[in-house]
Each structure stands twice: as structure tokens, then as C-alpha cells.
């Protein structure tokens, strides 16, 4: 903590004297020796890994809703204050199972600005996604734009909770109930987030979390479905697999959505570390905020609608006119420094081959989503990122702004010399 | 404890023959150190999934093992099948030909791939679809043929390939129980357009959960690699349609690799188990062990017995009796798929032979956890049931209040 404090101080007090000549883009050595990816990538120590795996080998219980998967579900129920937590192979399969259990038909309304999996889960289950634009401020689904999209084929709404924040969950549930629609949430980004003392996981018919390695709670791959509805939980358990199905209820079709004991073991340790990892994210988030909030053309997106966040994402909008270079140019600059920033989400799913025609047919315009797909960049935050690393990343970003004109000139010169 | 009186049977209140349940799952375990050694690779590289170093190595090792050019791994055999069917099916047609006497979730797999199951009959000798039975189901609606190998020995590979070539309908093999097998035409893995396998803990290669597809079709392998990863091809441009997340994680890959290292030792063990069953079951009247065809390479893994006309009890009662003894034997397969209450579109079928066969087979414990003495006990139990069938039957009727 002391070290972090010093970094904060030096970040605030120390001037960034870096010039464009020192950028790896122009031949200097990269800021990072090894590639720095985005994604949380927290993982238990080798010693803990070995002990957990030895336990599995001793029990010889590898999958099929074993003791660790059962324990994980109980722990998650306690942690989230939800009646049922149903662990699954990954978040996408969880979303597909939700479609099955809710018996959705026809079309489902969802935000256009989200990871592809949200839409793909619908298509695989035979449902047509209807894309709704999002709020420029929060990036969450714009609740005012839902009504015009409603028709008799729409059977449900999938809310998505982005960037460690939430969409207007309570209002969305209310709207959906009024219209007689099912309402569920893709909460892949929102594990551990809280509003008014209630944790995400308790809203709508069901919420789906991802425990992918890039998320704050990791099972390497994994996920879980949460619901307070006993009947729905029984259905989901029957759809997942016959193992751990509990009460046998009628379902249309089953899947394989099991979580193995190895995945559950990692998730249990990750859950033990949640507070520590959340704190670490928060400190890093603050460092970024201190350095980037004053930078023209950079808007750091804060978790919306929550009073507790997991801070698992660091996302900025880069506005070209004020910042001086485009988002994509900044990405190239960072990449040369071995910082693998990501365009999240790009391309916008409504431009995918399989959805393009839907958007055209429906005469859909999604101006906010289109702008965000051009402007958003995700920066590293998590296990592999130190306070010092944040300092370096921010130095490079502010240098890119400060010397934007020189950078543009040198880049276009070298491009024209290549022609 | 050996059974002397009928009342000694656990189902009638006697002590169980096995204290710890004996399952039909393989549950093979590698040396722990070996598993750790593989794990160190992903741990040091801090890559826990997304086509990490161990998934890449496993795919190479499995392609070599099956003597094919490409292998693509998945989070399970279930989703491997769904995505392989989705990739290979003829667009604009909506039926998939598959046996009814097969894995209980196979029709659901077809539904997830957007096809209607069209159930075909099986042959008595192989318990798998023959070319003729498949031919009877072919129509202008047929989108794909799923050739499912039985759990002991192989389906008629050349027959199925012929009909696929004749009709131009793609052939996909479900080879989940045939990882180790060779036919006289070569090793399993390279037939049809592709073959699907499982890495579930119950299978020959235990990777906790997992599955894979083998093929010699480069385009197909690229397509499958993209589909399991949200459609991302790795190249610039838009993702391909129909993607999902079906990636195998690195811990599962470590486990599969470590088990693949000891696969031949495992088969040796299986062979001993199989020989012991064969010796001890042969004198029991009314029971027939389904023998392995030993002309090609075989895993000797699954122990399947048939109840013949001399057996004194119905198959399902027999399974109940032995399950009570902590022998987790299974009916193979019951009910067959065409008898299930299917709630999505399918082609109704009358399959007399399948109905008949679905009441005759029992899968017995096998795998690493089974030792020869277990088989002595299991065979002893069958012998006891065979000799006291009618007494057992009347005691069971009495115990259930005459129902």
C-alpha cells in the first residue's frame, strides 16, 4: 500500500517529460518488456493450486456436480444473497440456458453495445435479437428507446450490466412486467456489484455471470445463473445436466452446462480473494482516474448505478478532435509499447454478417453505439498491472495527446514514403 | 459378501456387495506430478484459457494420435457435436439421420444445431446404423448423416461412407466411445467429414470435461476454431455467424494430456478386466458378453452384456437388483430416443428392432477403479440371480406389495 501511495504522489506531482521521440512507435524500446494484456487474470498461488488439485485427485471426483461445485454454489448464494446459484461451463452457455428455461420465443430486445456473446446466445437458441441503442453517459441500454421496438413477436428483454456498473435494472424490470415480458440480465461484468444493499444477481427473472479468466471471479472458464424463483431454478438445473438436477421437471431440451471440479476449485479460491482483488482494482482505477481525468479528449467511464463496483474494467472514450489522434492510432501507439489495449466492443454486433440484415430491415439506427464502437478503448487493469505500470501507460497516453501534431506528421510522412 | 439366501440381496434388505459404488465411468487418473508438470506451463505463461499453450499441445497430440491433420478441442463432447453438425449440415434442409438407440441427449444435440432428428434402425450385430437403415431415411430433407459408433466395436464404416458418397449428404461420426479403435481401413478419427470425441471423466481420456473433433478438412477446422470462440477467425473482418463459447480451458487440457500419456497402460488394464469378465461370465446361463473384435486395435473399455431368453428376470429388474448392491450398472440405452416425449420437431418412427434391443443390454463397471476381485463378486452375483431367478422374482413382488 505504501508503494502504491508513493506512485500516486509521484504521478500527481511528477511531470511527464516524455516526448514523442521516446515512443516505441518511433523506434525507442517498448515501455514493457512483456506483453501486458487487458483482463483481470487473477489466479491463486502455485501452492494453493497444488493443494486444491491434490484434493480433487484424492477424492477422484472430477465433474458431474461434485463436492466443490456444490460448495461453490452455496458460497455464491451466501455472497450474493440470492436463493439459487447454478454454476455452469461458461457465461455464454448460461445465457443460452436462460433462454431455454424462460421459454423465450420470437424476438428479445437487448442493447447493441455489448459483447457478441449476448446476441450469439439468442441466435443459438433460435431467437432474433432486437438491438436497442444505449446511453451516451453510462453506455447502458437506453430505457427510453425500448418502447418503439416492441411488437407482438417480442417475448423478453435482456438487460446487460456493463463495466462494473449496472443498467437501470429496477426500471427495466418494471417496464418488462408492465408489458408482460420476461426480463433477465447478462451480468458478466457485474459480479460483486451492489446497489442500495442489494447485490447484482437478484434482479429480474434470472441473472447470468461469467467466471472467465478476464473477470474478477475466475474459474478459468465458467459462469453461474442466479435466481430467486424456485421453479426457474429447477428448470435450469434440469437443462444443465442430469447430475445435480434435483427435482425432475419437464424441459424442452437439455444441454451440457456442467462446471467441473477443477473450475469450481479455482472459483472458490477466487471468491476467497474477492475483497483483496476488488481493492487492488479500485486502487488502480483511482490512479488512472487521477492521471486521465484532466486530459482533453479522454473520458474515463465510471461504473454507473452502483455504490459498490468490482472495478474490473478500465474503459475510456477517445474523442479525436480534442485528443488529437484517433482511438485506433492510440491503440497502435500502445501496442508498440507492448500494451495490448482492446477496442471494446468492436465491431458493433449489429454490423455482424448475421445481424446486418436485421438492422437494415428494421431501419435501425444506433448512433450512440456506433460512436462508442469507434471511440472506446479498454486499458489493462488487474493482476498483471502495478501502480507503476499505470503511470507508464498514462505517460504514453498523455504524450500521445501532447505531441499529437508531431505524431500525425511523422506517421503520414512515413506512410507516404512507403507508397 | 457372497449371497447365499435370496434375502441376502441388498434390494431385499441384505448388505450391499460393494461398500463403495462401482461405476461404469472410467475415471482414470494420471500421475499427479505429471498433471502438475503440464499445469506449470499455463501457470508460468499466465494463460488460463483462450487457446493457451496446453490446448495447442493437446490438439497436436490428439491429431497425431488419430493420424489426422487437424484436431479442434471444445468444452465438452456435447458442444463439439452441436458445432460440428452446424458446420457440416447442408443449408436449406432440416433433417439429421441418427440412431434412436444412442446417447440419451443426442436428439437435443440435433435441436441445438437446428435440425430435426430422423431416427433410423440399427443392426442386431453391431448395435449401430447400417447403410440400409440409413438409406431408408434419406430424402430431399436430409441435411446430415450422424454415424454413431456403438460402445463396443465399430459401425459399418465403408457402408456409411458409401451412402454418403452416393447421396452427397455429409457424414459425421460420433466416435465418443471409439477413441482407441482401429478398423481394417485405418485408425478412427479420419473417417467421414469429421469425427467427434469426448474428454469427460467417464471416457478413455479424462480431461474433467471436454471434447474434440478430428478432421482432414482444413477449412472445417478453421471454421470450428472460430465457432467455439464467438466466431472470431483471428483475421480482421467480421466474425463468422453461429459462434458461441465452447473453449476448453487449460486445466482440463493439462489433465487430458497427462491421461493421454498413459493411455496404453490403461488399455492393458482394460484388457485384463475384459478377459476376467469373459472367463467368469461364460458359464452363466442367459447372459452373453458382447465381445471385442480383436483384429484391430481396441480399448477393451466398455463391458456390455446381453440378457438372453434364458435369463429369469426382465432387464430393468436386473439393473435395479445390481444397482442396490452398489454396482452402478446402466441400461443400454433406455428409453431409446424415439420413445421419449420430445417437445421439438422430429420425425416419428416405428423401430421394432431398436425397441427389442433397448430392453436387453446392461453396461457393467469398468475402468481404472475395477480390479479382478470386483469382477469375481459381480460375476458371482449374476450367477446367483441366474440360479435363483424365480424365487427372487416372487420375493420382489411380495416386497413391493404384490404390484
Amino acid at each position: 500500500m505504501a508503494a502504491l501511495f508513493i506512485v500516486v504522489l509521484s504521478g500527481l506531482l511528477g511531470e511527464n517529460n516524455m516526448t514523442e521521440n521516446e515512443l516505441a512507435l518511433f523506434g525507442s524500446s517498448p515501455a514493457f518488456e512483456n506483453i501486458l494484456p487487458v483482463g483481470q487474470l487473477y489466479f491463486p498461488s502455485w501452492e494453493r493450486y497444488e493443494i486444491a488439485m491434490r484434493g480433487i485427485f484424492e477424492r477422484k471426483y472430477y465433474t458431474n456436480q461434485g463436492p466443490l461445485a456444490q460448495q461453490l454454489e452455496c458460497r455464491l448464494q451466501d455472497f450474493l444473497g440470492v436463493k439459487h446459484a447454478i454454476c455452469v461451463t461458461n457465461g455464454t452457455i448460461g445465457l443460452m440456458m436462460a433462454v431455454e428455461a424462460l421459454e423465450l420465443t420470437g424476438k428479445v430486445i437487448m442493447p447493441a453495445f455489448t459483447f457478441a456473446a449476448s446476441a450469439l446466445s439468442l441466435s443459438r437458441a433460435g431467437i432474433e435479437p432486437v438491438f436497442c441503442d444505449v446511453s451516451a453517459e453510462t453506455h447502458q441500454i437506453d430505457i427510453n428507446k425500448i418502447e418503439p421496438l416492441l411488437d407482438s413477436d417480442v417475448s423478453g428483454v435482456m438487460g446487460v450490466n456493463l463495466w462494473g456498473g449496472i443498467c437501470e435494472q429496477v426500471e427495466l424490470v418494471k417496464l418488462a412486467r408492465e408489458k408482460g415480458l420476461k426480463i433477465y440480465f447478462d451480468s458478466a461484468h457485474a459480479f460483486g456489484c451492489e446497489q442500495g444493499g442489494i447485490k447484482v444477481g437478484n434482479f429480474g427473472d434470472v441473472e447470468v455471470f461469467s467466471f472467465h479468466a478476464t473477470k474478477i471471479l475466475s474459474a478459468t472458464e465458467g459462469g453461474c445463473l442466479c435466481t430467486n424463483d424456485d421453479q426457474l431454478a429447477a428448470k435450469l438445473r434440469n437443462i444443465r445436466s442430469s447430475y445435480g438436477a434435483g427435482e425432475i421437471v419437464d424441459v424442452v431440451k437439455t444441454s451440457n452446462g456442467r462446471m467441473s471440479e477443477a473450475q469450481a476449485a479455482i472459483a472458490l479460491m477466487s471468491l476467497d480473494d474477492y475483497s483483496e482483488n476488488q481493492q487492488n482494482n479500485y486502487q488502480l482505477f483511482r490512479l488512472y482516474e487521477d492521471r486521465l481525468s484532466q486530459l482533453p479528449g479522454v473520458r474515463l467511464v465510471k461504473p454507473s448505478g452502483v455504490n459498490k463496483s468490482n472495478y474490473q474494467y478500465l474503459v475510456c472514450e477517445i474523442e479525436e478532435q480534442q485528443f488529437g489522434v484517433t482511438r485506433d492510432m492510440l491503440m497502435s501507439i500502445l501496442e508498440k509499447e507492448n500494451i495490448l489495449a482492446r477496442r471494446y466492443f468492436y465491431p458493433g454486433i449489429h454490423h455482424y454478417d448475421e445481424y446486418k440484415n436485421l438492422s437494415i430491415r428494421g431501419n435501425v439506427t444506433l448512433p450512440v453505439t456506433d460512436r462508442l464502437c469507434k471511440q472506446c478503448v479498454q486499458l489493462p487493469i488487474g493482476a498483471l498491472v502495478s501502480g507503476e505500470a499505470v503511470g507508464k501507460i498514462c505517460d504514453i497516453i498523455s504524450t500521445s495527446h501532447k505531441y499529437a501534431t508531431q505524431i500525425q506528421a511523422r506517421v503520414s510522412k512515413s506512410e507516404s514514403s512507403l507508397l | 459378501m457372497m449371497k447365499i439366501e435370496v434375502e441376502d440381496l441388498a434390494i431385499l434388505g441384505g448388505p450391499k456387495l460393494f461398500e463403495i459404488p462401482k461405476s461404469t465411468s472410467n475415471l482414470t487418473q494420471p500421475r499427479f506430478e505429471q498433471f502438475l508438470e503440464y499445469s506449470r506451463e499455463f501457470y508460468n505463461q499466465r494463460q488460463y484459457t483462450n487457446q493457451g499453450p496446453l490446448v495447442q499441445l493437446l490438439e497436436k497430440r490428439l491429431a497425431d494420435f488419430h493420424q489426422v491433420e487437424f484436431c479442434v478441442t471444445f468444452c465438452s463432447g456435447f458442444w463439439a457435436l452441436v458445432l460440428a453438425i452446424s458446420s457440416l449440415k447442408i443449408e436449406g434442409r432440416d433433417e439429421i439421420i441418427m440412431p434412436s438407440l444412442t446417447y440419451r441427449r443426442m436428439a437435443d444435440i440435433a435441436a441445438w444445431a437446428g435440425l430435426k432428428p430422423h431416427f433410423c434402425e440399427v443392426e442386431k450385430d453391431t448395435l449401430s446404423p447400417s447403410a440400409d437403415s440409413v438409406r431408408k431415411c434419406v430424402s430431399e430433407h436430409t441435411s446430415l448423416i450422424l454415424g454413431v459408433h456403438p460402445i463396443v466395436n465399430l459401425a459399418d464404416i465403408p457402408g456409411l461412407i458409401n451412402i454418403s458418397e452416393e447421396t452427397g449428404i455429409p457424414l459425421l461420426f460420433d466416435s465418443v466411445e471409439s477413441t482407441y479403435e482401429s478398423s481394417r481401413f485405418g485408425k478412427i478419427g479420419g473417417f467421414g467429414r469429421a469425427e467427434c470425441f469426448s474428454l469427460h471423466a467417464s471416457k478413455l481420456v479424462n480431461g474433467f470435461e471436454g471434447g474434440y473433433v478430428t478432421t482432414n478438412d482444413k477449412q472445417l477446422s478453421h471454421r470450428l476454431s472460430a465457432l467455439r470462440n464467438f466466431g472470431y477467425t483471428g483475421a480482421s473482418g467480421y466474425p463468422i455467424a453461429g459462434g458461441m463459447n465452447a473453449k476448453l480451458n487449460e486445466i482440463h487440457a493439462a489433465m487430458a494430456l497427462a491421461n493421454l500419456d498413459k493411455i496404453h497402460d490403461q488399455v492393458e488394464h482394460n484388457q485384463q478386466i475384459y478377459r476376467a469378465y469373459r472367463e467368469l461370465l461364460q458359464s452363466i446361463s442367459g447372459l452373453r458378453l458382447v465381445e471385442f473384435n480383436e483384429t484391430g486395435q481396441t480399448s477393451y473399455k466398455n463391458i456390455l452384456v446381453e440378457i438372453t431368453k434364458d435369463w429369469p428376470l426382465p432387464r430393468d429388474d436386473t439393473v435395479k437388483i445390481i444397482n442396490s448392491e452398489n454396482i452402478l450398472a446402466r441400461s443400454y440405452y433406455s428409453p431409446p430416443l424415439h420413445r421419449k416425449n420430445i417437445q421439438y420437431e422430429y420425425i416419428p418412427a416405428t423401430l421394432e428392432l431398436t425397441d427389442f434391443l433397448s430392453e436387453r443390454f446392461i453396461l457393467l463397471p469398468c475402468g481404472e477403479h475395477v480390479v479382478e476381485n470386483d469382477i469375481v463378486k459381480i460375476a458371482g452375483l449374476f450367477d446367483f440371480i441366474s440360479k435363483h431367478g424365480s424365487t427372487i422374482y416372487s420375493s420382489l413382488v411380495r416386497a413391493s406389495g404384490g404390484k
Side-chain angles (χ1 to χ4, degrees), chain B residues 289-309:
Chain B
L289 177 71
V290 179
E291 297 200 0
F292 284 96
N293 176 350
E294 299 185 58
T295 56
Q297 191 173 287
T298 172
S299 70
Y300 298 99
K301 177 176 170 280
N302 296 312
I303 304 298
L304 188 66
V305 293
E306 183 181 10
I307 304 290
T308 64
K309 63 177 177 15

Side-chain angles (χ1 to χ4, degrees), chain B residues 179-347:
Chain B
T179 308
Y180 200 78
E181 322 298 290
S182 279
S183 79
R184 61 200 162 92
F185 310 98
K187 215 164 156 63
I188 293 303
F191 296 106
R193 294 287 300 278
E195 301 201 38
C196 287
F197 300 88
S198 166
L199 297 170
H200 184 261
S202 61
K203 301 296 183 278
L204 194 68
V205 182
N206 166 12
F208 289 101
E209 290 272 354
Y212 61 99
V213 172
T214 56
T215 183
N216 290 310
D217 180 338
K218 188 176 183 175
Q219 248 186 322
L220 177 66
S221 79
H222 283 171
R223 187 174 168 75
L224 289 169
S225 302
L227 288 180
R228 71 172 168 192
N229 185 28
F230 310 106
Y232 296 119
T233 56
S236 56
Y238 293 113
I240 61 170
M244 62 176 282
N245 180 6
K247 299 186 296 270
L248 185 71
N249 71 56
E250 288 287 292
I251 306 178
H252 290 189
M255 186 71 158
L257 278 162
N259 272 317
L260 193 56
D261 286 339
K262 55 165 271 193
I263 193 166
H264 303 297
D265 297 344
Q266 211 202 125
V267 170
E268 225 166 273
H269 169 82
N270 289 347
Q271 191 177 0
Q272 285 170 21
I273 297 298
Y274 167 67
R275 297 244 186 279
Y277 268 115
R278 194 169 64 177
E279 190 192 318
L280 294 163
L281 295 180
Q282 69 182 352
S283 59
I284 301 171
S285 118
L287 209 59
R288 179 183 79 90
L289 177 71
V290 179
E291 297 200 0
F292 284 96
N293 176 350
E294 299 185 58
T295 56
Q297 191 173 287
T298 172
S299 70
Y300 298 99
K301 177 176 170 280
N302 296 312
I303 304 298
L304 188 66
V305 293
E306 183 181 10
I307 304 290
T308 64
K309 63 177 177 15
D310 298 328
W311 189 254
L313 294 169
R315 193 271 315 273
D316 290 352
D317 288 337
T318 312
V319 169
K320 264 184 221 152
I321 293 168
I322 53 185
N323 282 351
S324 307
E325 304 290 348
N326 257 341
I327 299 166
L328 304 183
R330 288 181 170 222
S331 301
Y332 175 87
Y333 287 96
S334 179
L337 300 181
H338 73 287
R339 292 277 172 195
K340 289 177 88 167
N341 174 25
I342 295 177
Q343 295 184 45
Y344 38 83
E345 282 191 280
Y346 71 105
I347 314 299

Side-chain angles (χ1 to χ4, degrees), chain A residues 220-271:
Chain A
T220 69
E221 290 276 354
C224 103
L225 294 126
C226 290
T227 181
N228 288 308
D229 179 332
D230 295 343
Q231 252 190 318
L232 196 60
K235 271 193 181 179
L236 287 166
R237 290 199 179 95
N238 277 264
I239 290 168
R240 177 176 60 185
S241 163
S242 49
Y243 301 97
E247 177 203 351
I248 303 300
V249 295
D250 211 19
V251 297
V252 176
K253 62 179 186 277
T254 61
S255 69
N256 176 355
R258 290 186 295 266
M259 175 184 271
S260 77
E261 289 292 280
Q263 291 171 288
I266 303 301
L268 278 164
M269 291 186 278
S270 187
L271 191 56

